[in-house]
Short mmCIF file of all heavy atoms in Angstrom, two decimals:
data_model
loop_
_atom_site.label_atom_id
_atom_site.label_comp_id
_atom_site.label_asym_id
_atom_site.label_seq_id
_atom_site.Cartn_x
_atom_site.Cartn_y
_atom_site.Cartn_z
N MET A 1 -27.03 -1.69 19.08
CA MET A 1 -26.15 -2.54 18.31
C MET A 1 -25.26 -3.31 19.29
O MET A 1 -24.63 -2.71 20.17
CB MET A 1 -25.31 -1.68 17.37
CG MET A 1 -24.32 -2.48 16.55
SD MET A 1 -23.37 -1.49 15.39
CE MET A 1 -24.57 -1.23 14.14
N THR A 2 -25.22 -4.60 19.12
CA THR A 2 -24.42 -5.42 20.04
C THR A 2 -22.94 -5.30 19.68
O THR A 2 -22.58 -4.82 18.60
CB THR A 2 -24.85 -6.89 19.95
OG1 THR A 2 -24.53 -7.40 18.66
CG2 THR A 2 -26.32 -7.05 20.24
N LEU A 3 -22.14 -5.74 20.59
CA LEU A 3 -20.69 -5.67 20.38
C LEU A 3 -20.26 -6.51 19.19
O LEU A 3 -19.44 -6.08 18.37
CB LEU A 3 -19.97 -6.14 21.66
CG LEU A 3 -18.45 -6.12 21.59
CD1 LEU A 3 -17.94 -4.71 21.37
CD2 LEU A 3 -17.87 -6.70 22.87
N LEU A 4 -20.82 -7.71 19.06
CA LEU A 4 -20.45 -8.59 17.95
C LEU A 4 -20.85 -7.98 16.61
O LEU A 4 -20.08 -8.02 15.64
CB LEU A 4 -21.10 -9.96 18.12
CG LEU A 4 -20.74 -11.00 17.06
CD1 LEU A 4 -19.24 -11.25 17.05
CD2 LEU A 4 -21.50 -12.29 17.31
N ALA A 5 -22.01 -7.37 16.54
CA ALA A 5 -22.46 -6.73 15.29
C ALA A 5 -21.55 -5.56 14.93
O ALA A 5 -21.22 -5.36 13.76
CB ALA A 5 -23.89 -6.26 15.43
N ARG A 6 -21.14 -4.80 15.92
CA ARG A 6 -20.23 -3.67 15.67
C ARG A 6 -18.87 -4.16 15.20
O ARG A 6 -18.28 -3.59 14.28
CB ARG A 6 -20.09 -2.86 16.94
CG ARG A 6 -19.28 -1.62 16.73
CD ARG A 6 -19.30 -0.72 17.93
NE ARG A 6 -18.46 0.42 17.64
CZ ARG A 6 -18.13 1.33 18.51
NH1 ARG A 6 -18.60 1.26 19.73
NH2 ARG A 6 -17.36 2.33 18.18
N ILE A 7 -18.36 -5.23 15.80
CA ILE A 7 -17.07 -5.79 15.39
C ILE A 7 -17.16 -6.28 13.95
O ILE A 7 -16.25 -6.04 13.14
CB ILE A 7 -16.64 -6.92 16.35
CG1 ILE A 7 -16.23 -6.34 17.70
CG2 ILE A 7 -15.49 -7.73 15.75
CD1 ILE A 7 -15.97 -7.37 18.77
N LEU A 8 -18.25 -6.96 13.60
CA LEU A 8 -18.43 -7.45 12.23
C LEU A 8 -18.53 -6.30 11.23
O LEU A 8 -17.96 -6.36 10.15
CB LEU A 8 -19.64 -8.35 12.14
CG LEU A 8 -19.52 -9.71 12.82
CD1 LEU A 8 -20.84 -10.46 12.77
CD2 LEU A 8 -18.40 -10.53 12.20
N LYS A 9 -19.24 -5.25 11.60
CA LYS A 9 -19.40 -4.10 10.71
C LYS A 9 -18.07 -3.40 10.47
O LYS A 9 -17.71 -3.09 9.33
CB LYS A 9 -20.41 -3.13 11.32
CG LYS A 9 -20.68 -1.92 10.47
CD LYS A 9 -21.68 -1.00 11.14
CE LYS A 9 -21.84 0.28 10.35
NZ LYS A 9 -22.75 1.22 11.00
N LEU A 10 -17.32 -3.17 11.52
CA LEU A 10 -16.03 -2.49 11.38
C LEU A 10 -15.00 -3.38 10.66
O LEU A 10 -14.17 -2.88 9.90
CB LEU A 10 -15.52 -2.06 12.75
CG LEU A 10 -16.32 -0.94 13.41
CD1 LEU A 10 -15.79 -0.67 14.81
CD2 LEU A 10 -16.29 0.32 12.57
N SER A 11 -15.08 -4.68 10.87
CA SER A 11 -14.19 -5.60 10.16
C SER A 11 -14.48 -5.60 8.67
O SER A 11 -13.56 -5.62 7.84
CB SER A 11 -14.32 -7.02 10.71
OG SER A 11 -13.91 -7.07 12.05
N ALA A 12 -15.75 -5.58 8.31
CA ALA A 12 -16.13 -5.52 6.90
C ALA A 12 -15.67 -4.20 6.27
O ALA A 12 -15.19 -4.19 5.13
CB ALA A 12 -17.63 -5.68 6.75
N ALA A 13 -15.77 -3.11 6.99
CA ALA A 13 -15.31 -1.82 6.48
C ALA A 13 -13.80 -1.83 6.28
O ALA A 13 -13.28 -1.33 5.28
CB ALA A 13 -15.70 -0.70 7.44
N PHE A 14 -13.08 -2.43 7.22
CA PHE A 14 -11.63 -2.52 7.12
C PHE A 14 -11.22 -3.39 5.93
O PHE A 14 -10.32 -3.04 5.16
CB PHE A 14 -11.06 -3.09 8.42
CG PHE A 14 -9.57 -3.19 8.45
CD1 PHE A 14 -8.78 -2.06 8.50
CD2 PHE A 14 -8.95 -4.42 8.42
CE1 PHE A 14 -7.41 -2.14 8.53
CE2 PHE A 14 -7.57 -4.52 8.44
CZ PHE A 14 -6.80 -3.38 8.50
N LEU A 15 -11.90 -4.50 5.75
CA LEU A 15 -11.62 -5.39 4.62
C LEU A 15 -11.92 -4.69 3.30
O LEU A 15 -11.12 -4.77 2.35
CB LEU A 15 -12.44 -6.67 4.75
CG LEU A 15 -12.26 -7.70 3.63
CD1 LEU A 15 -10.82 -8.22 3.61
CD2 LEU A 15 -13.23 -8.84 3.81
N GLY A 16 -13.03 -3.99 3.23
CA GLY A 16 -13.37 -3.25 2.02
C GLY A 16 -12.35 -2.17 1.70
O GLY A 16 -11.99 -1.96 0.54
N SER A 17 -11.88 -1.50 2.72
CA SER A 17 -10.87 -0.47 2.54
C SER A 17 -9.57 -1.06 2.00
O SER A 17 -8.95 -0.50 1.09
CB SER A 17 -10.61 0.23 3.87
OG SER A 17 -9.49 1.08 3.79
N ASN A 18 -9.16 -2.19 2.56
CA ASN A 18 -7.93 -2.84 2.08
C ASN A 18 -8.08 -3.33 0.65
O ASN A 18 -7.14 -3.21 -0.16
CB ASN A 18 -7.55 -4.00 2.99
CG ASN A 18 -6.87 -3.53 4.25
OD1 ASN A 18 -6.42 -2.39 4.33
ND2 ASN A 18 -6.81 -4.39 5.23
N LEU A 19 -9.24 -3.87 0.30
CA LEU A 19 -9.46 -4.33 -1.07
C LEU A 19 -9.47 -3.16 -2.06
O LEU A 19 -8.90 -3.26 -3.15
CB LEU A 19 -10.77 -5.11 -1.16
CG LEU A 19 -10.77 -6.49 -0.51
CD1 LEU A 19 -12.17 -7.09 -0.54
CD2 LEU A 19 -9.78 -7.41 -1.18
N ALA A 20 -10.08 -2.05 -1.68
CA ALA A 20 -10.10 -0.87 -2.54
C ALA A 20 -8.69 -0.32 -2.73
O ALA A 20 -8.30 0.05 -3.84
CB ALA A 20 -11.01 0.20 -1.95
N ARG A 21 -7.92 -0.29 -1.65
CA ARG A 21 -6.54 0.21 -1.74
C ARG A 21 -5.69 -0.67 -2.64
O ARG A 21 -4.90 -0.19 -3.45
CB ARG A 21 -5.93 0.29 -0.35
CG ARG A 21 -4.57 0.94 -0.32
CD ARG A 21 -4.09 1.04 1.10
NE ARG A 21 -4.14 -0.26 1.75
CZ ARG A 21 -3.22 -0.68 2.60
NH1 ARG A 21 -2.24 0.10 2.94
NH2 ARG A 21 -3.32 -1.87 3.13
N ALA A 22 -5.87 -1.99 -2.54
CA ALA A 22 -5.12 -2.92 -3.38
C ALA A 22 -5.52 -2.76 -4.85
O ALA A 22 -4.66 -2.79 -5.73
CB ALA A 22 -5.36 -4.35 -2.92
N ALA A 23 -6.80 -2.58 -5.11
CA ALA A 23 -7.26 -2.41 -6.49
C ALA A 23 -6.72 -1.11 -7.10
O ALA A 23 -6.29 -1.09 -8.26
CB ALA A 23 -8.78 -2.43 -6.54
N ILE A 24 -6.72 -0.05 -6.32
CA ILE A 24 -6.18 1.22 -6.80
C ILE A 24 -4.68 1.10 -7.07
O ILE A 24 -4.17 1.58 -8.09
CB ILE A 24 -6.47 2.35 -5.80
CG1 ILE A 24 -7.96 2.66 -5.80
CG2 ILE A 24 -5.67 3.61 -6.12
CD1 ILE A 24 -8.40 3.58 -4.68
N GLY A 25 -3.96 0.45 -6.18
CA GLY A 25 -2.52 0.25 -6.37
C GLY A 25 -2.21 -0.59 -7.60
O GLY A 25 -1.29 -0.30 -8.36
N PHE A 26 -3.01 -1.63 -7.81
CA PHE A 26 -2.80 -2.49 -8.98
C PHE A 26 -3.08 -1.71 -10.27
O PHE A 26 -2.29 -1.76 -11.22
CB PHE A 26 -3.71 -3.72 -8.89
CG PHE A 26 -3.54 -4.67 -10.03
CD1 PHE A 26 -2.38 -5.43 -10.15
CD2 PHE A 26 -4.52 -4.79 -10.99
CE1 PHE A 26 -2.22 -6.31 -11.21
CE2 PHE A 26 -4.38 -5.67 -12.05
CZ PHE A 26 -3.21 -6.42 -12.16
N GLY A 27 -4.17 -0.97 -10.29
CA GLY A 27 -4.49 -0.18 -11.48
C GLY A 27 -3.44 0.89 -11.75
O GLY A 27 -3.07 1.13 -12.90
N LEU A 28 -2.96 1.52 -10.69
CA LEU A 28 -1.92 2.54 -10.85
C LEU A 28 -0.63 1.94 -11.37
O LEU A 28 0.04 2.53 -12.23
CB LEU A 28 -1.68 3.26 -9.53
CG LEU A 28 -0.68 4.40 -9.55
CD1 LEU A 28 -1.14 5.50 -10.49
CD2 LEU A 28 -0.48 4.95 -8.15
N SER A 29 -0.27 0.76 -10.88
CA SER A 29 0.97 0.13 -11.37
C SER A 29 0.83 -0.26 -12.84
O SER A 29 1.79 -0.14 -13.60
CB SER A 29 1.33 -1.08 -10.52
OG SER A 29 0.40 -2.12 -10.70
N LEU A 30 -0.35 -0.70 -13.26
CA LEU A 30 -0.56 -1.00 -14.68
C LEU A 30 -0.44 0.25 -15.53
O LEU A 30 0.18 0.24 -16.59
CB LEU A 30 -1.92 -1.66 -14.89
CG LEU A 30 -2.08 -3.09 -14.41
CD1 LEU A 30 -3.50 -3.57 -14.68
CD2 LEU A 30 -1.07 -4.02 -15.05
N ALA A 31 -1.04 1.35 -15.06
CA ALA A 31 -0.98 2.60 -15.80
C ALA A 31 0.45 3.13 -15.88
O ALA A 31 0.90 3.59 -16.95
CB ALA A 31 -1.89 3.64 -15.15
N LEU A 32 1.18 3.05 -14.78
CA LEU A 32 2.58 3.50 -14.78
C LEU A 32 3.44 2.63 -15.69
O LEU A 32 4.28 3.14 -16.44
CB LEU A 32 3.15 3.48 -13.36
CG LEU A 32 2.80 4.66 -12.48
CD1 LEU A 32 3.25 4.41 -11.06
CD2 LEU A 32 3.43 5.91 -13.02
N ALA A 33 3.25 1.33 -15.63
CA ALA A 33 4.04 0.42 -16.47
C ALA A 33 3.76 0.68 -17.94
O ALA A 33 4.68 0.68 -18.77
CB ALA A 33 3.72 -1.04 -16.12
N ARG A 34 2.51 0.91 -18.26
CA ARG A 34 2.14 1.17 -19.65
C ARG A 34 2.73 2.50 -20.13
O ARG A 34 3.22 2.60 -21.24
CB ARG A 34 0.62 1.20 -19.76
CG ARG A 34 0.10 1.48 -21.11
CD ARG A 34 -0.05 0.21 -21.86
NE ARG A 34 -0.78 0.50 -23.09
CZ ARG A 34 -0.76 -0.29 -24.12
NH1 ARG A 34 -0.11 -1.42 -24.05
NH2 ARG A 34 -1.41 0.01 -25.19
N GLY A 35 2.70 3.50 -19.28
CA GLY A 35 3.20 4.83 -19.66
C GLY A 35 4.70 4.94 -19.67
O GLY A 35 5.27 5.63 -20.53
N LEU A 36 5.37 4.28 -18.74
CA LEU A 36 6.82 4.44 -18.62
C LEU A 36 7.60 3.48 -19.50
O LEU A 36 8.72 3.79 -19.90
CB LEU A 36 7.24 4.24 -17.16
CG LEU A 36 6.79 5.30 -16.17
CD1 LEU A 36 7.22 4.93 -14.76
CD2 LEU A 36 7.34 6.66 -16.54
N GLY A 37 7.08 2.30 -19.75
CA GLY A 37 7.84 1.30 -20.48
C GLY A 37 8.62 0.44 -19.49
O GLY A 37 8.70 0.73 -18.29
N ALA A 38 9.21 -0.62 -20.01
CA ALA A 38 9.85 -1.62 -19.15
C ALA A 38 11.04 -1.07 -18.37
O ALA A 38 11.15 -1.26 -17.16
CB ALA A 38 10.28 -2.82 -19.97
N GLU A 39 11.93 -0.37 -19.04
CA GLU A 39 13.16 0.08 -18.38
C GLU A 39 12.88 1.15 -17.33
O GLU A 39 13.34 1.07 -16.19
CB GLU A 39 14.14 0.62 -19.41
CG GLU A 39 15.47 1.01 -18.80
CD GLU A 39 16.44 1.52 -19.84
OE1 GLU A 39 16.29 1.19 -21.03
OE2 GLU A 39 17.36 2.25 -19.44
N ARG A 40 12.10 2.16 -17.69
CA ARG A 40 11.83 3.24 -16.74
C ARG A 40 10.91 2.78 -15.61
O ARG A 40 11.03 3.25 -14.48
CB ARG A 40 11.22 4.44 -17.46
CG ARG A 40 12.25 5.12 -18.36
CD ARG A 40 11.82 6.47 -18.85
NE ARG A 40 10.52 6.41 -19.51
CZ ARG A 40 9.86 7.49 -19.88
NH1 ARG A 40 10.35 8.68 -19.67
NH2 ARG A 40 8.68 7.38 -20.47
N PHE A 41 10.01 1.83 -15.89
CA PHE A 41 9.18 1.29 -14.81
C PHE A 41 10.04 0.50 -13.82
O PHE A 41 9.83 0.57 -12.61
CB PHE A 41 8.08 0.39 -15.38
CG PHE A 41 7.14 -0.14 -14.33
CD1 PHE A 41 6.28 0.71 -13.67
CD2 PHE A 41 7.12 -1.48 -14.01
CE1 PHE A 41 5.40 0.24 -12.70
CE2 PHE A 41 6.26 -1.97 -13.05
CZ PHE A 41 5.39 -1.10 -12.40
N GLY A 42 11.04 -0.23 -14.31
CA GLY A 42 11.97 -0.94 -13.44
C GLY A 42 12.72 0.02 -12.52
O GLY A 42 12.91 -0.24 -11.33
N ARG A 43 13.15 1.14 -13.09
CA ARG A 43 13.82 2.16 -12.27
C ARG A 43 12.87 2.74 -11.23
O ARG A 43 13.26 3.00 -10.10
CB ARG A 43 14.34 3.29 -13.16
CG ARG A 43 15.81 3.14 -13.44
CD ARG A 43 16.36 4.37 -14.11
NE ARG A 43 16.51 4.03 -15.53
CZ ARG A 43 16.25 4.84 -16.53
NH1 ARG A 43 15.84 6.06 -16.30
NH2 ARG A 43 16.41 4.45 -17.76
N TRP A 44 11.61 2.97 -11.63
CA TRP A 44 10.59 3.49 -10.71
C TRP A 44 10.40 2.54 -9.53
O TRP A 44 10.38 2.96 -8.38
CB TRP A 44 9.29 3.70 -11.48
CG TRP A 44 8.11 3.98 -10.61
CD1 TRP A 44 7.19 3.10 -10.17
CD2 TRP A 44 7.75 5.24 -10.04
NE1 TRP A 44 6.26 3.72 -9.38
CE2 TRP A 44 6.58 5.04 -9.28
CE3 TRP A 44 8.30 6.51 -10.11
CZ2 TRP A 44 5.95 6.07 -8.61
CZ3 TRP A 44 7.67 7.54 -9.42
CH2 TRP A 44 6.52 7.31 -8.69
N ILE A 45 10.28 1.25 -9.82
CA ILE A 45 10.08 0.26 -8.77
C ILE A 45 11.30 0.18 -7.86
O ILE A 45 11.18 0.08 -6.63
CB ILE A 45 9.76 -1.13 -9.38
CG1 ILE A 45 8.40 -1.09 -10.06
CG2 ILE A 45 9.79 -2.22 -8.33
CD1 ILE A 45 7.25 -0.77 -9.15
N LEU A 46 12.50 0.24 -8.44
CA LEU A 46 13.73 0.22 -7.63
C LEU A 46 13.75 1.42 -6.67
O LEU A 46 14.04 1.25 -5.48
CB LEU A 46 14.96 0.24 -8.53
CG LEU A 46 16.29 0.27 -7.81
CD1 LEU A 46 16.52 -1.04 -7.06
CD2 LEU A 46 17.42 0.54 -8.78
N CYS A 47 13.42 2.59 -7.16
CA CYS A 47 13.44 3.79 -6.30
C CYS A 47 12.38 3.71 -5.20
O CYS A 47 12.65 4.07 -4.05
CB CYS A 47 13.22 5.03 -7.15
SG CYS A 47 14.61 5.41 -8.24
N THR A 48 11.18 3.24 -5.53
CA THR A 48 10.15 3.16 -4.51
C THR A 48 10.47 2.07 -3.48
O THR A 48 10.14 2.21 -2.30
CB THR A 48 8.76 2.90 -5.12
OG1 THR A 48 8.81 1.73 -5.93
CG2 THR A 48 8.31 4.08 -5.96
N THR A 49 11.13 1.00 -3.93
CA THR A 49 11.55 -0.04 -2.99
C THR A 49 12.58 0.49 -2.01
O THR A 49 12.49 0.24 -0.80
CB THR A 49 12.09 -1.26 -3.75
OG1 THR A 49 11.09 -1.74 -4.64
CG2 THR A 49 12.52 -2.35 -2.81
N TRP A 50 13.56 1.22 -2.52
CA TRP A 50 14.56 1.81 -1.63
C TRP A 50 13.92 2.81 -0.67
O TRP A 50 14.26 2.86 0.51
CB TRP A 50 15.67 2.49 -2.44
CG TRP A 50 16.79 1.55 -2.74
CD1 TRP A 50 17.06 0.98 -3.93
CD2 TRP A 50 17.76 1.04 -1.82
NE1 TRP A 50 18.15 0.14 -3.82
CE2 TRP A 50 18.60 0.17 -2.54
CE3 TRP A 50 18.00 1.23 -0.47
CZ2 TRP A 50 19.65 -0.50 -1.93
CZ3 TRP A 50 19.05 0.57 0.13
CH2 TRP A 50 19.86 -0.29 -0.61
N ALA A 51 12.99 3.62 -1.17
CA ALA A 51 12.33 4.60 -0.31
C ALA A 51 11.53 3.89 0.79
O ALA A 51 11.56 4.31 1.95
CB ALA A 51 11.42 5.49 -1.14
N SER A 52 10.85 2.81 0.45
CA SER A 52 10.10 2.05 1.46
C SER A 52 11.02 1.44 2.50
O SER A 52 10.73 1.47 3.69
CB SER A 52 9.29 0.95 0.79
OG SER A 52 8.30 1.49 -0.03
N THR A 53 12.14 0.88 2.04
CA THR A 53 13.10 0.27 2.96
C THR A 53 13.68 1.32 3.91
O THR A 53 13.77 1.09 5.12
CB THR A 53 14.23 -0.42 2.17
OG1 THR A 53 13.65 -1.37 1.29
CG2 THR A 53 15.22 -1.09 3.10
N LEU A 54 14.08 2.46 3.38
CA LEU A 54 14.64 3.51 4.22
C LEU A 54 13.59 4.06 5.20
O LEU A 54 13.93 4.41 6.33
CB LEU A 54 15.20 4.64 3.35
CG LEU A 54 16.45 4.27 2.55
CD1 LEU A 54 16.84 5.43 1.65
CD2 LEU A 54 17.60 3.88 3.46
N THR A 55 12.35 4.12 4.77
CA THR A 55 11.28 4.58 5.66
C THR A 55 11.10 3.62 6.83
O THR A 55 10.96 4.05 7.98
CB THR A 55 9.96 4.72 4.89
OG1 THR A 55 10.15 5.66 3.83
CG2 THR A 55 8.85 5.18 5.79
N VAL A 56 11.12 2.32 6.55
CA VAL A 56 10.98 1.33 7.62
C VAL A 56 12.15 1.41 8.58
O VAL A 56 11.97 1.36 9.80
CB VAL A 56 10.85 -0.09 7.01
CG1 VAL A 56 10.99 -1.16 8.08
CG2 VAL A 56 9.52 -0.24 6.30
N VAL A 57 13.37 1.55 8.04
CA VAL A 57 14.55 1.62 8.89
C VAL A 57 14.55 2.90 9.72
O VAL A 57 14.84 2.87 10.92
CB VAL A 57 15.83 1.52 8.01
CG1 VAL A 57 17.06 1.84 8.83
CG2 VAL A 57 15.95 0.14 7.41
N ALA A 58 14.20 4.03 9.11
CA ALA A 58 14.24 5.31 9.82
C ALA A 58 13.09 5.45 10.82
O ALA A 58 13.18 6.22 11.76
CB ALA A 58 14.20 6.46 8.82
N ASP A 59 12.01 4.72 10.61
CA ASP A 59 10.85 4.81 11.49
C ASP A 59 11.15 4.30 12.89
O ASP A 59 10.64 4.83 13.88
CB ASP A 59 9.68 4.04 10.88
CG ASP A 59 8.40 4.21 11.63
OD1 ASP A 59 8.23 5.26 12.28
OD2 ASP A 59 7.57 3.30 11.58
N LEU A 60 11.96 3.26 12.98
CA LEU A 60 12.39 2.67 14.25
C LEU A 60 11.22 2.21 15.12
O LEU A 60 11.29 2.21 16.34
CB LEU A 60 13.26 3.66 15.04
CG LEU A 60 14.56 4.07 14.37
CD1 LEU A 60 15.26 5.14 15.20
CD2 LEU A 60 15.47 2.89 14.13
N GLY A 61 10.10 1.86 14.49
CA GLY A 61 8.98 1.34 15.24
C GLY A 61 8.07 2.38 15.85
O GLY A 61 7.09 2.06 16.51
N PHE A 62 8.33 3.67 15.61
CA PHE A 62 7.49 4.72 16.19
C PHE A 62 6.12 4.77 15.56
O PHE A 62 5.19 5.30 16.14
CB PHE A 62 8.17 6.08 16.09
CG PHE A 62 9.35 6.22 17.02
CD1 PHE A 62 10.62 6.44 16.52
CD2 PHE A 62 9.17 6.10 18.38
CE1 PHE A 62 11.70 6.57 17.37
CE2 PHE A 62 10.25 6.23 19.24
CZ PHE A 62 11.51 6.46 18.73
N GLY A 63 5.97 4.24 14.33
CA GLY A 63 4.67 4.22 13.68
C GLY A 63 3.66 3.37 14.42
O GLY A 63 2.46 3.61 14.35
N VAL A 64 4.14 2.39 15.15
CA VAL A 64 3.25 1.51 15.91
C VAL A 64 2.67 2.26 17.11
O VAL A 64 1.55 2.00 17.53
CB VAL A 64 4.03 0.25 16.38
CG1 VAL A 64 3.15 -0.65 17.21
CG2 VAL A 64 4.57 -0.49 15.18
N LEU A 65 3.42 3.19 17.62
CA LEU A 65 2.95 3.94 18.79
C LEU A 65 1.83 4.86 18.40
O LEU A 65 0.98 5.21 19.12
CB LEU A 65 4.09 4.75 19.39
CG LEU A 65 5.27 3.93 19.92
CD1 LEU A 65 6.37 4.87 20.39
CD2 LEU A 65 4.81 3.06 21.06
#
């Protein structure tokens, strides 16, 4: 297998993985919104947004290493 073929294969796998993750996240958000209702889903999103922000701040770039 040539280097270019391997790069293309791994790139396609990475793209497929990202698309699958996005589809699962979208479906999960629809299910949560349907189950929780507008007000509680808004609270859920607010809490997850704060958790994501605090994770980025507390990480201090070590995740890249």
